[in-house]
């Protein structure tokens, strides 16, 4: 165990040294996660409490980020909105990447008709842009947090499946997989024991890369009225409705959630890029 | 050299004088000619939701009436330009018997459906029988509004007779309902559900296409029975749900109008952008948001719980605040606050949730919750419609009001079709609902609140709450039959007290205020308290 810890520490130190931007992004994401977790303590107001005496209040000492059309504190809604963004982002990426990974490895291992069917289905799904596919799924399932997670996760599956399958194909041809087959190991044992651990790197890279996209998708769908429902604090939702209508009168209603989305997606993308560079042996110099 | 010449003697001066006079005459006459209806052009307007079906007899939403009403005619109709005057439509005239129980309508001859078939009284009778006496699984949401009708007869092809069981003061207005589209009797005989999926009427515009999520198109009926109408070549209803996008569409001229209404800031935004190119019309609105409770589910079956929910709402504060950002406005009882049956302020303030002391009301609400055994933090779903204005605003307001008495409310938002389907099937705890109408009369506005199973065995398809209250049914019947205006008013107040204060089967939130900012190119349109009346027959655009 101490050896493992030491190895992890060494990897982390090397990551920070070689990818300072990625490390900074990771730190920012950790900070955001902490803010989201502590929103209950940090938020100055209840994020759903209407205050008709403070409608459209400009940023001030009382309301640092101002208030919205219902007099709700924008800072509090951004802090609580981080929970929604991270919940939907992590859950949909995790579900999408895991399903995509399992399907990709299964297709690569079995090959033949199973792989052919999976690939054609993936081709069909990939022919739709992610946002269109997610929109269609939400239109069928209806709005709400759980449906949003399902819609985003499903639209990620074929994209992750392709990447993981490509790695799994080369693993399938390795000698130890051949050996496991030769001694009569069961298919699922070979997949889980020998193949899955060897496609973890692309899986993790895709997971991180799609996190930013998932947050952006959540914001986009909520903005279109198909995501999280009012009065839940969600950044995309905060940008829609009154924020658009009153953008001249109360620009803070759109500026702060817009900034939150931009910075968070940027952080996830930078971290994802750095992780990809760090984990992909082909990109190591 | 100075020469003398008679004024106007020089040819160039005479020519200039003639040209100037001509110019003056043209300039003076220009505004007058601009008021003359112009034929041609396509009107593009916004509809903010998709129709659940194409059958007006079973629907109650603008999402159907706005795009599809121009394909149909009524027996008689409200004149959109001089509301609430009732004028002939397919009936060219009518007579009422001295005792007020027999209405005889003479049907216009030579009217053809869009498929070329000739309209007769048989079509009127078949349409009204579908509305008043629906058979089998046919849904008619307004059957309960016609309990006074004993029979509909068609003694000859040009005559329709309604025989009433009692004299009904508002029967003619009830017949002018914009929902009572006249269908083809042969088609109804073959398939009473045909009109749920198809369009075929006698109206000023023929159906061209409906592309879900995009648009609905109508083209001028060249054989329309009103000579010289319609003025428009056609219309295009574009479905835009997002309120900001609607405003942008009007600002940019991509659409000329939205026939429901905009909020005050949206109006100001449009006027700022269009300047003199915008015309603003405003009116009270025979429309409001209600909340319907599913009385078959616990704890909504307990009047104390329902009353607590009403008591928690600060209607007066909500009206002041929300009217600045949404299309909601006045606080009122069951009848329109600006209308002839409006609840007097003193009576209104005695009803649960209408007092000015919200602190005391919420204290009472908490007490009632405790008595009903509803724990702090009790959670329920509030079904709502995916129409931003004003449903989203009203829901945010309500959820906050109920949060303040310790309740946790999950907001469930659905498209208009699934939302109405859930209401009808009873798949909800509580739902943001609406009670919009076309004429101020208790016979119309109170129907929604009658028992789901009527004493005569008919089903009240507008009662989504699923309750039976024979006292309400009796009060409704009595007011409907009453010829004494004062007595009728008293009965309406009793009905209101029982519904909103004693039993609290449903509650009213806020009434709406109608603001229509539209392009000045749109003519022949006058805003009124109902957003259901426009058939586009007399509408024209100036360029």
């Amino acid at each position: 165990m101490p050896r493992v810890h030491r190895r992890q520490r060494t990897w982390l130190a090397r990551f920070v040294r070689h990818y300072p931007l990625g490390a900074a992004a990771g730190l920012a994401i950790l900070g955001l996660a902490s803010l989201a977790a502590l929103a209950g303590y940090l938020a100055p107001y209840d994020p759903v409490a209407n205050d008709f005496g403070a409608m459209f209040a400009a940023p001030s000492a009382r309301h640092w980020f101002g208030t919205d059309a219902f007099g709700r504190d924008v800072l509090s809604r951004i802090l609580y909105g981080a929970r929604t963004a991270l919940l939907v982002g992590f859950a949909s990426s995790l579900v999408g990447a895991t399903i995509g990974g399992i399907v990709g490895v299964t297709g690569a291992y079995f090959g033949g008709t199973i792989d052919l069917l999976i690939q054609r289905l993936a081709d069909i799904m990939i022919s739709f842009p992610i946002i269109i596919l997610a929109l269609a799924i939400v239109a069928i399932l209806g709005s709400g947090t759980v449906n949003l997670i399902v819609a985003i996760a499903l639209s990620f599956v074929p994209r992750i499946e392709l990447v993981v399958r490509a790695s799994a194909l080369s693993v399938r041809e390795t000698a130890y997989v051949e050996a496991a087959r030769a001694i009569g190991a069961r298919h699922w044992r070979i997949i889980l024991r020998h193949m899955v651990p060897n496609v973890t790197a692309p899986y993790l890279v895709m997971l991180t890369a799609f996190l930013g996209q998932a947050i952006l998708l959540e914001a986009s769908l909520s903005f279109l009225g198909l995501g999280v429902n009012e009065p839940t604090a969600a950044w995309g939702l905060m940008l829609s409705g009154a924020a658009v209508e009153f953008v001249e009168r109360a620009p803070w209603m759109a500026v702060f959630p817009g900034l939150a989305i931009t910075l968070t997606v940027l952080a996830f993308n930078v971290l994802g890029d750095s992780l990809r560079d760090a984990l992909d042996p082909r990109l190591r110099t | 050299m100075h020469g003398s010449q008679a004024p106007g003697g020089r040819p160039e001066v005479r020519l200039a004088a003639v040209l100037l006079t001509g110019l003056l005459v043209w300039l003076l006459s220009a505004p007058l000619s601009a008021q003359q209806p112009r034929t041609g052009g396509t009107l593009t307007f916004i509809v903010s939701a998709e129709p659940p079906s194409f059958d007006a007899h079973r629907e109650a939403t603008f999402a159907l009436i706005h795009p599809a009403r121009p394909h149909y005619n009524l027996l008689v109709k409200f004149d959109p330009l001089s509301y609430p005057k009732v004028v002939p439509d397919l009936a060219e005239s009518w007579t009422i018997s001295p005792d007020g129980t027999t209405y005889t309508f003479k049907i216009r001859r030579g009217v053809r459906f869009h498929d070329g078939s000739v309209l007769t009284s048989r079509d009127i009778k078949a349409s009204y029988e579908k509305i008043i006496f629906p058979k089998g699984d046919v849904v008619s949401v307004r059957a309960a509004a016609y309990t006074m009708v004993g029979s509909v007869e068609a003694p000859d092809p040009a005559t329709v007779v309604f025989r009433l069981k009692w004299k009904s003061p508002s029967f003619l207005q009830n017949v002018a309902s914009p929902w009572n589209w006249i269908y083809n009797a042969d088609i109804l005989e073959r398939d009473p559900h045909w009109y749920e999926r198809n369009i075929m009427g006698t109206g000023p515009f023929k159906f061209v296409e409906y592309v879900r999520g995009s648009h609905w198109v109508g083209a001028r009926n060249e054989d329309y029975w009103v000579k010289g109408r319609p003025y428009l070549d056609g219309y295009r209803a574009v479905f835009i749900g997002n309120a900001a996008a609607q405003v942008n569409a009007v600002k940019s001229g991509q659409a000329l109008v939205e026939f429901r209404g905009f909020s005050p800031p949206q109006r100001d935004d449009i006027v700022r952008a269009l300047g003199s190119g915008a015309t603003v019309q405003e009116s009270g609105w025979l429309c409001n948001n209600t909340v319907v409770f599913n009385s078959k589910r616990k704890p909504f079956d307990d009047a104390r719980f329902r009353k607590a929910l009403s008591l928690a709402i600060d209607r007066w504060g909500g009206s002041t605040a929300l009217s600045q950002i949404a299309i909601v406005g006045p606080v009122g009882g069951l009848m329109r606050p600006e209308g002839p049956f409006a609840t007097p302020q003193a009576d209104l303030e005695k009803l649960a949730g209408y007092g000015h002391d919200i602190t005391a009301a919420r204290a009472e609400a908490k007490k009632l919750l405790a008595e009903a055994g509803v724990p702090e933090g009790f959670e329920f779903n509030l079904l709502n419609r995916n129409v931003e204005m004003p449903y989203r605003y009203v829901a945010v307001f309500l959820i906050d009001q109920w949060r303040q008495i310790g309740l946790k409310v999950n907001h469930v938002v659905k498209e208009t079709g699934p939302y109405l389907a859930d209401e009808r099937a009873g798949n909800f705890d509580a739902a943001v609902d609406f009670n919009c109408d076309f004429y101020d009369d208790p016979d119309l506005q109170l129907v929604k609140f009658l028992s789901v199973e009527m004493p005569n065995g008919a089903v009240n398809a507008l009662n989504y709450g699923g309750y039976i209250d024979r006292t309400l049914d009796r009060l409704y019947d009595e007011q409907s039959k009453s010829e004494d205006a004062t007595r009728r008013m008293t009965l309406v107040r009793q009905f209101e007290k029982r519904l909103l204060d004693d039993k609290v089967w449903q509650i009213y939130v806020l009434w709406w205020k109608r603001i229509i900012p539209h392009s000045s190119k749109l003519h022949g349109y006058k805003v009124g308290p109902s957003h259901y009346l426009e058939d586009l027959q007399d509408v024209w655009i100036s360029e």
Side-chain angles (χ1 to χ4, degrees), chain B residues 48-68:
Chain B
S48 54
E50 306 262 347
S53 86
F54 297 171
D55 182 1
H57 302 173
R58 61 167 282 142
E59 302 301 346
T61 168
F62 69 92
L64 172 66
I65 213 160
H66 285 184

Side-chain angles (χ1 to χ4, degrees), chain B residues 270-298:
Chain B
I270 289 170
V271 169
R272 252 196 319 272
L274 295 182
S276 60
T279 301
V280 178
Q281 301 191 50
E282 300 193 6
S283 163
W285 200 341
L286 191 36
C287 212
N288 56 66
N289 276 119
T290 65
V291 178
V292 56
F293 304 118
N294 188 342
S295 64
K296 292 183 174 169
R297 287 191 185 173
K298 288 191 179 299

Side-chain angles (χ1 to χ4, degrees), chain B residues 298-319:
Chain B
K298 288 191 179 299
F300 296 94
D301 60 344
D302 190 327
R304 292 169 299 184
F305 178 62
R306 300 191 299 262
K307 190 165 184 171
L309 292 177
S310 188
L311 282 164
I313 301 170
D314 178 8
R315 291 174 173 80
W316 302 102
S319 170

Side-chain angles (χ1 to χ4, degrees), chain A residues 50 52 70 230-231, chain B residues 288-291 313 318 322-323 325-329 382-385 387-402 411 431-434 507-512:
Chain A
N50 296 359
F52 292 131
F70 292 94
E230 282 274 15
Chain B
N288 56 66
N289 276 119
T290 65
V291 178
I313 301 170
L322 292 180
S323 60
I325 54 172
I327 58 176
V328 294
L382 179 69
L383 175 68
N384 200 4
R385 182 180 193 186
V387 174
E388 189 174 333
M389 192 59 81
Y391 291 83
R392 180 167 157 180
Y393 289 78
V394 167
V396 171
F397 169 67
L398 285 172
I399 291 168
D400 179 59
Q401 300 294 296
W402 290 333
H411 192 198
V432 178
D433 199 17
F434 58 96
I507 58 175
Y508 270 40
V509 186
L510 291 170
W511 283 81
W512 299 0

Side-chain angles (χ1 to χ4, degrees), chain A residues 81-153:
Chain A
R83 283 185 178 181
T84 311
L86 293 179
L87 170 72
V88 175
F90 274 109
S92 54
S93 301
L94 197 66
V95 172
T98 305
I99 296 173
I102 291 169
V103 174
V105 172
T106 308
Y109 176 76
F110 287 107
T113 315
I114 293 178
D115 190 37
L116 189 77
L117 286 174
I118 291 173
Q119 286 314 106
R120 295 297 78 78
L121 189 64
D123 285 346
I124 292 169
M125 288 177 78
I126 280 176
S127 65
F128 295 98
I130 288 186
I131 181 98
I132 302 293
L133 195 60
L135 265 172
I137 298 169
V138 167
I140 294 165
L141 298 176
S143 58
T145 310
V146 175
N147 290 346
L148 195 60
I149 291 170
V150 173
I152 297 173

Side-chain angles (χ1 to χ4, degrees), chain A residues 46 50 143 229-230 240 245, chain B residues 266 321 392 400 403 411 413:
Chain A
D46 184 331
N50 296 359
S143 58
N229 291 325
E230 282 274 15
S240 69
E245 280 177 47
Chain B
Q266 290 171 330
R392 180 167 157 180
D400 179 59
R403 184 188 58 83
H411 192 198
V413 182

Side-chain angles (χ1 to χ4, degrees), chain A:
Chain A
M1 284 298 285
R3 192 181 298 164
V4 174
H5 276 158
R6 200 162 44 242
R7 200 186 306 155
Q8 284 172 344
R9 272 204 304 273
T10 314
W11 185 88
L12 203 61
R14 204 168 49 233
F15 181 78
V16 172
R17 201 167 52 246
H18 288 290
Y19 306 99
L21 261 180
L27 205 64
I29 291 165
L30 269 178
L32 180 73
S34 310
L35 286 177
L38 299 172
Y41 299 101
L42 298 175
Y45 296 91
D46 184 331
V48 299
N50 296 359
D51 181 358
F52 292 131
M55 292 163 79
F56 302 112
S60 64
R62 199 168 162 215
H63 296 282
W64 289 5
F65 287 4
T67 65
D68 68 6
F70 292 94
R72 297 177 296 193
D73 183 59
V74 172
L75 172 61
S76 305
R77 289 183 68 72
I78 283 183
L79 288 173
Y80 276 91
R83 283 185 178 181
T84 311
L86 293 179
L87 170 72
V88 175
F90 274 109
S92 54
S93 301
L94 197 66
V95 172
T98 305
I99 296 173
I102 291 169
V103 174
V105 172
T106 308
Y109 176 76
F110 287 107
T113 315
I114 293 178
D115 190 37
L116 189 77
L117 286 174
I118 291 173
Q119 286 314 106
R120 295 297 78 78
L121 189 64
D123 285 346
I124 292 169
M125 288 177 78
I126 280 176
S127 65
F128 295 98
I130 288 186
I131 181 98
I132 302 293
L133 195 60
L135 265 172
I137 298 169
V138 167
I140 294 165
L141 298 176
S143 58
T145 310
V146 175
N147 290 346
L148 195 60
I149 291 170
V150 173
I152 297 173
L154 285 180
S155 28
F156 285 168
V157 166
R159 286 159 177 88
I160 293 164
E161 186 269 337
L162 274 185
V163 174
V164 172
R165 177 181 171 272
S167 294
L169 277 176
S170 59
V171 176
R172 189 183 68 173
E173 304 304 328
T174 54
Y176 56 85
V177 172
E178 283 293 317
R181 273 207 194 108
I183 60 169
R186 292 182 174 196
H187 293 318
W188 294 114
R189 185 178 166 79
I190 298 172
I191 289 173
L192 293 175
R193 188 79 188 259
H194 300 294
M195 294 189 70
V196 168
N198 285 291
V199 294
T200 309
Y203 168 83
L204 284 177
V205 168
M206 294 302 286
L207 181 69
T208 331
F210 276 105
L211 259 165
Q213 276 209 52
I215 289 170
L216 199 59
L217 266 177
E218 181 273 312
S220 308
L221 292 171
S222 296
F223 175 78
L224 293 172
L226 295 166
V228 178
N229 291 325
E230 282 274 15
T232 308
W235 296 341
L237 201 58
M238 290 172 74
L239 277 176
S240 69
V244 181
E245 280 177 47
F246 299 99
V247 72
E248 288 172 25
R249 180 172 167 190
W252 53 87
M253 283 169 62
V255 167
F256 291 112
L259 269 175
I261 295 168
T262 308
L263 293 176
T264 306
V265 174
L266 183 70
F268 275 109
N269 285 350
V270 169
L271 178 66
D273 283 355
S274 304
L275 275 179
R276 185 195 58 204
D277 294 351
L279 293 173
D280 191 336
R282 286 166 300 182
L283 295 174
R284 281 185 199 147
T285 53

